[in-house]
């Protein structure tokens, strides 16, 4: 394929000599990463940037396609299809067909978005899925994707179990755990226990109602005040409901918004917290949670059956509270505030131990190894398809389809 030129010029190419080299098992595999967005504040976007910077070090020649971003986002090796809420599956298929030449060695579908209606068009040698999140409906929709993948990587053990259960053909080494990365080579010595100072709590991530449920933070803080907890709460990040949350908490002197931070400024805020509090409806495994563990911040997490639950229980079993129950979360935090220094030291030590497997280059190494394994195995995914049948939902705008039949994004049209 050679290196693509200006952004937006990347193409999926497959020459006959390249096919022979691929079948021989060479390591410089040519990949296309596909997802809704490349830019943005989400965890998947941060992982795509990790791949953009590090795939080459694993012998992977990667380009990126952002379904819902402009055709020229201005970043080398990244192109877009310019979809939006008024686009439809029919629109997406047409644009994908227009831009797709002969396929890549491996097409990587992040969160499997688009797999159901792009698989017959991608011309990929192998298809690899990465599950970053256990979103509502996933367990019901996954069986409809049987026969479309050659392998899957999952960022949490519960997601891996779900994939193996619902996609039984991806047995053995075709399905694997992908340890999310923490941008640290080693863990750090955390700050001292609260003692006679306020308990410093925080949330890092996208400030949104969807998934993260930041609308639960105002009632949680009221519960903490009613319980007599001396605390300070800090928000690290941005998102569509950031302004709403600032307005709701404008009269709270113990609340501080750091906005979006990066590099040393991000880690400086994080290492100043005692506990990180999540109030989400669903998660895969939040990267912010792992980053907090690496600097000894104690997780407080809802029982939503995600990878985050397991990490919180690994620090201490009672650090998981009933999902959506802010009173229970406040009671848990009140107990933490009263914990003696020796208990805090134990909690922080356990937190850093759990972060250990996520430090360094483990994520990219696991991804590269698994991708080469899947590429070397016999093809499992289908490569011939019947004609697409004319179905009304294919022409519904995405914004409407998401409301009336979200399963349509996972229903194969042939």
């Amino acid at each position: 394929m050679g290196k693509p030129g200006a952004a937006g010029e990347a193409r999926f190419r497959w020459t006959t000599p390249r096919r022979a080299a691929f079948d021989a098992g060479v390591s410089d595999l040519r990949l296309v990463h596909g997802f809704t967005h490349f830019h943005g504040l989400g965890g998947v976007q941060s992982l795509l940037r990790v791949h953009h910077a590090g795939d080459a070090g694993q012998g992977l020649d990667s380009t990126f396609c952002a379904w819902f971003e402009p055709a020229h986002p201005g970043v080398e090796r990244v192109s877009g299809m310019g979809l939006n809420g008024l686009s439809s599956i029919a629109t997406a298929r047409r644009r994908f067909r227009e831009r797709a030449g002969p396929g890549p060695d491996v097409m990587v579908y992040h969160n499997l978005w688009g797999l159901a209606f792009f698989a017959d068009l991608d011309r990929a040698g192998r298809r690899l899925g990465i599950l970053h999140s256990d979103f509502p409906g996933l367990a019901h929709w996954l069986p409809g994707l049987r026969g479309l993948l050659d392998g899957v990587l999952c960022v949490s053990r519960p997601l891996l179990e779900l994939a193996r259960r619902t996609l039984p053909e991806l047995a053995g080494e075709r399905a694997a755990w992908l340890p999310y990365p923490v941008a640290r080579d080693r863990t750090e010595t955390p700050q001292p226990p609260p003692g006679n100072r306020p308990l410093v709590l925080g949330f890092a991530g996208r400030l949104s109602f969807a998934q993260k449920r930041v609308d639960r933070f105002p009632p949680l803080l009221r519960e903490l005040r009613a319980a007599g907890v001396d605390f300070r709460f800090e928000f690290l990040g941005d998102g569509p409901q950031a302004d709403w949350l600032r307005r709701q908490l404008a009269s709270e002197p113990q609340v501080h918004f750091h906005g979006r931070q990066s590099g040393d400024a991000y880690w400086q805020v994080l290492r100043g917290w005692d506990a990180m509090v999540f109030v989400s409806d669903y998660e895969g495994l939040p990267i912010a949670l792992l980053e907090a563990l690496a600097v000894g911040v104690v997780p407080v997490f809802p029982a939503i059956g995600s990878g985050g639950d397991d990490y919180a229980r690994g620090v201490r079993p009672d650090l998981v509270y009933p999902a959506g129950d802010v009173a229970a979360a406040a009671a848990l935090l009140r107990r933490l505030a009263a914990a003696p220094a020796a208990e805090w030291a134990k909690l922080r030590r356990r937190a850093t131990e759990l972060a250990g497997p996520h430090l360094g280059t483990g994520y990219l190494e696991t991804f590269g190894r698994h991708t080469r394994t899947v590429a070397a195995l016999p093809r499992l995914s289908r490569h011939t398809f019947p004609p697409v049948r004319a179905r009304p939902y294919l022409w519904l705008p995405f914004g409407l389809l998401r409301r009336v039949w979200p399963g349509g994004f996972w229903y194969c049209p042939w």
Side-chain angles (χ1 to χ4, degrees), residues 56-213:
Q58 303 300 317
L60 305 174
D61 183 5
S62 297
T63 57
F64 300 77
C65 185
W67 317 133
F68 285 82
E69 289 182 0
H72 301 279
V75 181
E76 184 184 7
R77 299 183 289 119
V78 179
S79 59
M81 297 203 317
L83 301 176
N84 56 44
L86 297 177
S87 304
S88 66
I89 291 177
T91 308
R93 286 177 54 81
R94 175 175 53 80
R95 293 188 186 178
F96 191 83
R97 185 186 297 110
E98 289 171 353
R99 60 168 289 106
D105 296 339
V106 181
M107 181 77 195
V108 184
Y109 287 93
H110 290 265
N111 264 348
L112 307 184
W113 205 98
L115 174 63
F117 47 86
F118 288 149
D120 63 325
L121 304 174
D122 63 22
R123 301 177 176 89
R126 304 288 187 271
R127 296 190 197 96
L128 175 64
I130 301 183
L131 281 174
H132 298 271
S133 181
D134 186 1
F135 40 87
L138 178 63
H140 177 70
W141 297 326
L142 273 180
L145 303 179
R146 286 176 181 166
L148 298 183
L149 290 170
D150 297 282
V152 65
L153 286 163
C154 305
V155 303
S156 72
R157 303 293 185 183
L159 275 173
L160 180 58
E161 293 170 5
L162 174 62
R164 285 176 168 163
R165 183 172 66 252
T166 56
L167 302 173
E169 70 273 23
L170 301 182
E173 57 189 342
R174 290 187 181 271
W177 173 56
L178 183 63
Y180 255 178
V182 172
R184 279 287 181 271
D185 293 325
R186 57 182 176 80
T187 56
E188 299 181 19
T189 302
Q191 68 168 338
N196 295 321
R197 62 171 174 79
L199 181 70
V200 184
L201 308 174
F203 170 76
R206 190 172 63 258
L207 302 182
S208 66
F209 294 155
Q211 181 183 359
K212 302 299 183 181
R213 292 302 305 268

Side-chain angles (χ1 to χ4, degrees), residues 55-392:
D55 275 1
Q58 303 300 317
L60 305 174
D61 183 5
S62 297
T63 57
F64 300 77
C65 185
W67 317 133
F68 285 82
E69 289 182 0
H72 301 279
V75 181
E76 184 184 7
R77 299 183 289 119
V78 179
S79 59
M81 297 203 317
L83 301 176
N84 56 44
L86 297 177
S87 304
S88 66
I89 291 177
T91 308
R93 286 177 54 81
R94 175 175 53 80
R95 293 188 186 178
F96 191 83
R97 185 186 297 110
E98 289 171 353
R99 60 168 289 106
D105 296 339
V106 181
M107 181 77 195
V108 184
Y109 287 93
H110 290 265
N111 264 348
L112 307 184
W113 205 98
L115 174 63
F117 47 86
F118 288 149
D120 63 325
L121 304 174
D122 63 22
R123 301 177 176 89
R126 304 288 187 271
R127 296 190 197 96
L128 175 64
I130 301 183
L131 281 174
H132 298 271
S133 181
D134 186 1
F135 40 87
L138 178 63
H140 177 70
W141 297 326
L142 273 180
L145 303 179
R146 286 176 181 166
L148 298 183
L149 290 170
D150 297 282
V152 65
L153 286 163
C154 305
V155 303
S156 72
R157 303 293 185 183
L159 275 173
L160 180 58
E161 293 170 5
L162 174 62
R164 285 176 168 163
R165 183 172 66 252
T166 56
L167 302 173
E169 70 273 23
L170 301 182
E173 57 189 342
R174 290 187 181 271
W177 173 56
L178 183 63
Y180 255 178
V182 172
R184 279 287 181 271
D185 293 325
R186 57 182 176 80
T187 56
E188 299 181 19
T189 302
Q191 68 168 338
N196 295 321
R197 62 171 174 79
L199 181 70
V200 184
L201 308 174
F203 170 76
R206 190 172 63 258
L207 302 182
S208 66
F209 294 155
Q211 181 183 359
K212 302 299 183 181
R213 292 302 305 268
V214 298
D215 53 302
R216 289 176 174 150
F217 282 118
L220 172 61
L221 269 56
R222 289 195 292 270
E223 291 282 351
L224 286 173
R225 284 197 308 274
V229 178
D230 184 14
F231 71 94
R232 186 169 78 250
F233 206 107
E234 301 182 0
F235 292 94
L236 180 54
D238 205 345
Q241 275 73 56
D243 289 340
W244 178 91
L245 193 59
R246 285 188 173 93
R247 289 194 299 271
Q248 294 296 310
L249 300 175
S251 62
E252 306 288 350
Q254 72 275 46
V255 174
H256 182 76
F257 289 86
H258 292 278
R260 186 179 183 182
Q261 301 291 336
S262 60
D264 291 341
Y266 175 87
W267 288 99
Q268 185 62 33
V269 173
L270 205 62
R271 66 170 60 94
W273 295 353
D274 296 307
M276 179 180 283
V277 184
F278 286 83
V279 291
S280 314
D281 273 342
Y282 62 92
E283 293 281 0
L285 178 58
I287 297 176
L289 171 65
L290 301 174
E291 291 169 335
L293 292 172
V295 293
V297 177
V298 175
V300 172
F301 209 85
I304 52 178
S306 76
D309 312 36
D310 290 341
Y311 280 77
R313 289 191 182 95
V315 176
R316 199 173 74 183
D318 68 340
L319 294 177
V320 175
Y321 66 93
D325 190 341
V326 295
L332 194 167
L333 290 166
R334 185 178 66 237
R335 294 194 299 272
L336 271 180
E343 179 64 14
W344 273 102
K346 179 181 177 182
L347 293 173
R348 294 188 191 281
R349 184 169 59 251
R350 182 58 181 152
T352 57
E353 289 172 355
L354 289 174
H358 299 274
L359 305 180
T361 59
Y363 173 87
L364 285 171
E365 290 172 356
T366 300
F367 175 79
R369 182 171 58 251
H370 186 74
T371 300
R372 287 189 292 274
T373 295
V374 168
L377 289 169
R379 178 161 191 161
L380 186 64
S381 63
R382 65 186 302 175
H383 61 281
T384 59
F385 296 83
V388 169
R389 289 178 284 180
R391 300 174 183 272

